[in-house]
Amino acid sequence: MRKQDVIFAWLGSIISILFFIIVNFLTSPNYLWFIYPSFFLLLWPLSLQSFKYGNYKVHSVIVSTIIILFLLAINVFHSPEHPWILYVWYPIIWWPLLMFLEKKRTTVSLGIVASIVTIVYYSFLNIIISHGYPWAIYPIFAVFWWPMALYYTKKKDYFKFSISGSVLIILFFVIVNMVSSPHEIWAVYPIFVTLWWPLSMYYYYYRYRLK
């Protein structure tokens, strides 16, 4: 990648952003729509410059900061009564964190710590900001896969992974069924499909041992 490519990207982005700002204030000053194209235009030269010099960690910090500020601006301008930025900024910061942790990001201990922190954070938001529905069960279900997948992958015990994963999926659907629609038992359908995962793994493992 040549230096001229980065310079061209910066000049093109700045000129385009200035153009959108002028058009925005001349045509519709009451609605600041220029922030949307400006957000994507800034990512272009920043990414090119970071990739050119190999500054991947710095790139993750800068881009994640821009994304958070962009979402914060949308939250403040359009729905200041509901701070939904608190839900989305948390997973974004894990990008630069994992970039700086390097080798530790593949350890089971980090997965456990990150899962616990995530569970506590979203459970707190669920209780304090939006306690009408226990939506925290969805991110909790997702983060459980991180340490569990790392643990069984390192041990190369995929059959036990299928059992643990199936148990987690079944518990998830049972809980969602109970809290969302307790009068209709629909969880049996995804549970039935999930059971085929460990059954097929056992069949493969059994055939493999017979050979």
Side-chain angles (χ1 to χ4, degrees):
M1 185 183 296
R2 297 174 300 175
K3 184 178 180 180
Q4 290 79 1
D5 296 333
V6 179
I7 296 175
F8 172 77
W10 274 111
L11 288 175
S13 297
I14 293 172
I15 293 173
S16 300
I17 290 172
L18 290 174
F19 170 76
F20 286 125
I21 291 175
I22 294 172
V23 173
N24 189 172
F25 281 94
L26 288 177
T27 59
S28 52
N30 295 325
Y31 179 63
L32 302 179
W33 53 261
F34 77 90
I35 61 175
Y36 302 106
S38 299
F39 166 71
F40 294 102
L41 286 168
L42 280 175
L43 296 182
W44 175 29
L46 283 173
S47 299
L48 281 179
Q49 185 168 353
S50 299
F51 295 151
K52 176 178 173 57
Y53 297 104
N55 298 325
Y56 303 113
K57 294 179 181 179
V58 177
H59 176 258
S60 65
V61 173
I62 295 175
V63 174
S64 58
T65 302
I66 292 175
I67 294 174
I68 292 173
L69 292 175
F70 172 69
L71 296 175
L72 177 62
I74 295 176
N75 191 177
V76 172
F77 290 148
H78 298 290
S79 54
E81 69 283 352
H82 182 61
W84 53 261
I85 184 64
L86 296 176
Y87 305 111
V88 298
W89 78 275
Y90 177 80
I92 297 173
I93 65 169
W94 277 100
W95 176 22
L97 283 176
L98 292 175
M99 290 294 294
F100 279 95
L101 289 172
E102 295 183 351
K103 294 181 179 179
K104 293 183 179 179
R105 59 184 174 225
T106 60
T107 60
V108 179
S109 57
L110 177 62
I112 294 173
V113 172
S115 299
I116 293 174
V117 173
T118 303
I119 291 169
V120 172
Y121 177 74
Y122 280 110
S123 297
F124 178 78
L125 287 183
N126 197 170
I127 296 171
I128 300 300
I129 299 180
S130 52
H131 56 273
Y133 179 79
W135 54 263
I137 56 178
Y138 301 102
I140 290 174
F141 167 73
V143 297
F144 265 128
W145 288 96
W146 183 0
M148 186 172 64
L150 285 174
Y151 175 78
Y152 287 112
T153 301
K154 288 181 179 293
K155 287 185 170 292
K156 295 184 178 180
D157 197 340
Y158 305 109
F159 175 61
K160 290 184 179 179
F161 177 52
S162 67
I163 296 175
S164 300
S166 299
V167 171
L168 178 60
I169 294 172
I170 291 171
L171 287 175
F172 170 71
F173 281 114
V174 169
I175 294 173
V176 172
N177 194 168
M178 291 174 60
V179 299
S180 61
S181 52
H183 302 294
E184 182 180 355
I185 305 176
W186 53 262
V188 294
Y189 304 111
I191 289 174
F192 173 75
V193 176
T194 304
L195 290 175
W196 284 98
W197 180 18
L199 287 173
S200 60
M201 290 296 294
Y202 176 77
Y203 175 71
Y204 172 79
Y205 179 73
Y206 183 72
R207 287 192 59 188
Y208 179 76
R209 292 191 63 179
L210 287 179
K211 291 181 179 180

